[in-house]
Amino acid sequence: MEEIKLIVNGKRLDGRDFEELRPIKIEAGVLNRADGSCYLEMGGNKVVAAVYGPREVHPKHLEDPSKAIIRYRYSMAPFSVEERKRPGPDRRSIEISKVSREALEPVIMKELFPRSAIDIFVEVLQADAGSRTACLNAASVALIDAGIPMKGMVTSVAVAKVDGILVLDPMKEEDNYGEADIPFAFLIRNGKIESITLLQMDGRVSKEELKKALEMAKKGAMQIYQLQREAILKKYIKEEEVME
Amino acid sequence: MAEVSRKIVLPGDLLSTNPKTAGPNTYVEGNKVYARVLGLLDKTETMVKVIPLKGRYVPSLGDTVIGIVKEVTANGWIVDILSPYVAFLPVQENPAMRPNKKPNEVLDIGDAIIAKVMNIDPKMRVTLTMKDKLCRPIRVGRIVVINPTRVPRVIGKKGSMIKLLKSELDVQIIVGQNGLIWINGDRRKVSIAEEAIYIIEQEAHTEGLTDRIAEFIKKRKVEMGLAKPEEVEKEEVEEKAEELGKTEVEEERTEEVKMEEKPEESLEIPPEIPEERLKGE
């Protein structure tokens, strides 16, 4: 794979610096029939998240008498990738759904809604690298838009290693031909990173590199957090005037 | 309008460092108070709370709700109150229930009722009661469904909006805290009230909404032939004067309005009911 140079003159293929995010666009409350929703673009990713609930659990045997259950579905549209994807869940999307759900579970205050369910659906309309991080960011905004009690905001970003250098928010080529891909998700509270809620890694990195990757991810997450906040505030600024 | 701008807060925002002041929709961790929902910050010396902007109806004790009977059992009725939880109305709590009657002769599946939240256990099983002046089965009229977070706006500051609807249209209105609203009266007037309520729900920016709704009602009344155009002009002048008087006392918070509205309603409506019922049946 030596023909593909991912880093030329200290710049990445799309002209970004190593610690620069792709352009991000976030819009909250885009769906009428959902309790909360969010449309998010992160580079080439285009995702929509919808939140329903808390609502009654069906089937009943899944009900938890002490707290709400959380269901997360990550799904890719057949037209979201270069080669048409067969619709329906596959091993990859089931795994992403699981880890994403676990990233949100400690943040949502489930114990306030016993015997109910909070359903989160995220649909990838167009996929680029890091669609799971884009989905988590969208889901987090949609949850807040739905008015669900949470400890804070979840913000997610990935770090990759290409040509021996760590880069923030990898794009497709860097993901495909790079040496490692490390998605992170953080709980951000009051503008500070409190804890890690998702950490995955695929590839080869040294101990020091992993530590450095974490620092880079934190910086990137803070930038995304600001955009998430802005997106929600933009939608609700009108309401503020009303309730005064 | 009071210029006490209330800040929008997001989950996780630090509100206070004194855990004793933690109020509704906040949580305490490590001696600090954080917001747990998206809403408006309401901070006083003794309490800090968040007024939610979104979310489903979560029952609380004493709320007036409008529900639909979903299931009939031997010892009561299971009622849908448009919340994450279903509610239960025991036979003992329905004064219309007589020992010689079967539960399905009193209330059947699909019937609508106005009830009060009597009890909520820690597992969020909600028990309703109909032993209240305001409570009754709904046999006549119309039910309008809106988002429960919009309920305070339909009631208005110090009940101004609901008063407007009641006086201008001469209809009975009972607002359930769960977002269901019962309207009864002249069919055409009820239709206007329904349209007006949907407008209130839609309009995110309420600046002068009470006035706009008043205008809308007048326009619709003329269109429906309930009022003559000349009459309207005269009324409008009176209305303006009334509005001016109202705005001066419009500084109360929406939260308090809820509390004040309930007793006022229960005093006003019951005397009208028997005749209304006779008309419908």
Side-chain angles (χ1 to χ4, degrees):
Chain A
M1 282 299 157
E2 278 311 301
E3 310 94 274
I4 300 159
K5 286 293 267 178
L6 291 168
I7 289 174
V8 185
N9 301 333
K11 288 274 181 195
R12 291 153 77 177
L13 286 183
D14 53 1
R16 279 187 291 159
D17 284 329
F18 302 148
E19 298 202 11
E20 195 178 332
L21 294 165
R22 290 173 290 182
I24 295 173
K25 189 185 137 191
I26 311 178
E27 201 179 329
V30 291
L31 304 175
N32 278 335
R33 310 238 1 215
D35 290 313
S37 57
C38 173
Y39 172 75
L40 183 141
E41 284 180 18
M42 202 168 153
N45 289 302
K46 292 181 180 170
V47 305
V48 182
V51 171
Y52 297 85
R55 60 180 181 184
E56 267 184 85
V57 188
H58 291 292
K60 278 282 174 218
H61 67 88
L62 294 175
E63 203 174 86
D64 187 326
S66 63
K67 59 182 184 288
I69 59 160
I70 292 159
R71 293 182 285 204
Y72 186 106
R73 195 191 70 177
Y74 167 97
S75 147
M76 288 175 99
F79 51 81
S80 65
V81 273
E82 273 167 24
E83 195 153 330
R84 183 183 183 275
K85 181 191 168 291
R86 239 177 82 96
D90 50 25
R91 278 177 59 152
R92 178 177 168 275
S93 64
I94 291 167
E95 185 228 271
I96 292 178
S97 300
K98 180 185 179 287
V99 295
S100 303
R101 190 192 73 232
E102 285 170 352
L104 293 169
E105 264 184 341
V107 182
I108 298 171
M109 301 177 120
K110 301 183 284 186
E111 62 290 345
L112 295 174
F113 302 103
R115 305 192 299 121
S116 63
I118 296 167
D119 291 312
I120 306 158
F121 299 100
V122 196
E123 194 74 29
V124 181
L125 305 176
Q126 183 179 303
D128 194 355
S131 64
R132 81 187 65 190
T133 62
C135 287
L136 262 177
N137 291 333
S140 178
V141 173
L143 280 165
I144 292 172
D145 182 41
I148 288 170
M150 301 206 285
K151 287 187 178 158
M153 178 109 74
V154 173
T155 301
S156 175
V157 70
V159 174
K161 185 179 165 191
V162 293
D163 292 352
I165 297 167
L166 291 171
V167 294
L168 185 67
D169 195 19
M171 56 178 181
K172 204 167 182 207
E173 290 76 11
E174 291 167 339
D175 194 21
N176 290 349
Y177 306 111
E179 292 144 57
D181 177 26
I182 318 167
F184 291 92
F186 304 99
L187 162 61
I188 302 187
R189 182 158 66 182
N190 200 33
K192 281 197 286 290
I193 288 175
E194 292 273 331
S195 53
I196 297 172
T197 65
L198 177 140
L199 174 54
Q200 290 183 295
M201 190 186 81
D202 173 22
R204 290 166 69 88
V205 291
S206 70
K207 194 173 149 190
E208 285 69 34
E209 280 171 330
L210 183 61
K211 279 184 182 162
K212 194 182 169 228
L214 177 63
E215 289 313 310
M216 282 173 72
K218 280 183 176 175
K219 272 187 209 156
M222 284 312 296
Q223 292 174 37
I224 298 172
Y225 169 72
Q226 290 304 334
L227 294 169
Q228 285 175 305
R229 269 191 87 93
E230 276 167 31
I232 295 165
L233 292 178
K234 198 177 146 202
K235 194 196 159 198
Y236 286 96
I237 209 83
K238 274 185 197 157
E239 308 261 339
E240 185 190 22
E241 292 158 12
V242 169
M243 304 285 276
E244 267 167 28
Chain B
M1 289 258 155
E3 277 307 311
V4 199
S5 173
R6 287 211 204 126
K7 215 175 99 197
I8 297 182
V9 289
L10 268 61
D13 287 1
L14 183 68
L15 305 180
S16 163
T17 46
N18 180 1
K20 279 178 193 155
T21 60
N25 296 312
T26 63
Y27 72 97
V28 180
E29 208 174 287
N31 269 335
K32 283 176 179 162
V33 184
Y34 299 97
R36 71 183 186 200
V37 294
L38 167 71
L40 299 171
L41 179 61
D42 184 2
K43 199 171 181 179
T44 58
E45 296 95 74
T46 49
M47 188 157 82
V48 53
K49 65 178 179 182
V50 179
I51 303 165
L53 286 171
K54 269 298 248 322
R56 293 247 165 143
Y57 171 66
V58 178
S60 67
L61 272 171
D63 277 1
T64 306
V65 294
I66 300 178
I68 313 286
V69 175
K70 261 175 83 182
E71 217 173 296
V72 183
T73 67
N75 44 13
W77 300 267
I78 295 170
V79 183
D80 182 8
I81 52 167
L82 258 73
S83 129
Y85 316 103
V86 289
F88 184 72
L89 173 69
V91 282
Q92 307 91 276
E93 294 300 330
N94 188 349
M97 186 70 190
R98 301 273 175 273
N100 55 345
K101 277 187 177 173
K102 286 180 186 158
N104 65 345
E105 288 165 0
V106 180
L107 285 173
D108 211 346
I109 293 169
D111 285 356
I113 55 161
I114 300 167
K116 284 210 161 180
V117 177
M118 185 177 73
N119 186 42
I120 304 165
D121 79 356
K123 287 181 180 170
M124 287 308 281
R125 276 187 290 245
V126 180
T127 314
L128 299 177
T129 179
M130 285 180 75
K131 284 181 179 166
D132 191 280
K133 275 185 280 178
L134 199 63
C135 299
R136 73 197 70 160
I138 299 173
R139 307 286 185 205
V140 291
R142 198 178 296 182
I143 294 172
V144 180
V145 185
I146 60 158
N147 188 327
T149 50
R150 300 282 197 258
V151 164
R153 229 161 292 173
V154 172
I155 293 170
K157 279 157 190 149
K158 283 207 163 182
S160 60
M161 189 69 86
I162 203 102
K163 269 183 207 153
L164 174 80
L165 291 173
K166 277 180 185 171
S167 60
E168 281 292 306
L169 292 164
D170 189 30
V171 288
Q172 278 176 277
I173 303 179
I174 292 178
V175 183
Q177 292 298 317
N178 57 341
L180 271 70
I181 302 167
W182 175 69
I183 322 171
N184 189 27
D186 181 310
R187 194 173 293 173
R188 286 170 300 177
K189 287 177 179 171
V190 167
S191 296
I192 299 173
E194 183 182 350
E195 286 168 38
I197 288 168
Y198 285 137
I199 291 173
I200 300 166
E201 190 195 12
Q202 289 289 311
E203 307 273 303
H205 39 89
T206 318
E207 220 168 297
L209 184 63
T210 319
D211 300 350
R212 262 185 293 147
I213 292 296
E215 246 160 66
F216 168 81
I217 291 171
K218 291 216 181 79
K219 207 183 86 202
R220 291 294 290 146
K221 266 163 109 176
V222 173
E223 280 169 19
M224 290 214 174
L226 289 164
K228 286 182 200 123
E230 312 91 68
E231 248 175 82
V232 171
E233 270 177 24
K234 202 172 69 193
E235 268 177 46
E236 207 157 35
V237 178
E238 284 166 28
E239 188 59 34
K240 279 275 156 62
E242 232 177 278
E243 284 303 315
L244 282 173
K246 252 178 223 167
T247 42
E248 278 163 35
V249 282
E250 272 187 353
E251 290 186 13
E252 286 298 320
R253 287 200 303 276
T254 40
E255 282 292 298
E256 281 164 13
V257 168
K258 269 193 234 166
M259 314 289 275
E260 286 168 11
E261 186 55 23
K262 277 178 218 160
E264 185 237 316
E265 269 184 350
S266 52
L267 285 175
E268 247 182 60
I269 298 154
E272 299 166 17
I273 287 155
E275 47 170 301
E276 290 292 334
R277 259 194 215 156
L278 286 175
K279 254 190 253 168
E281 274 166 9

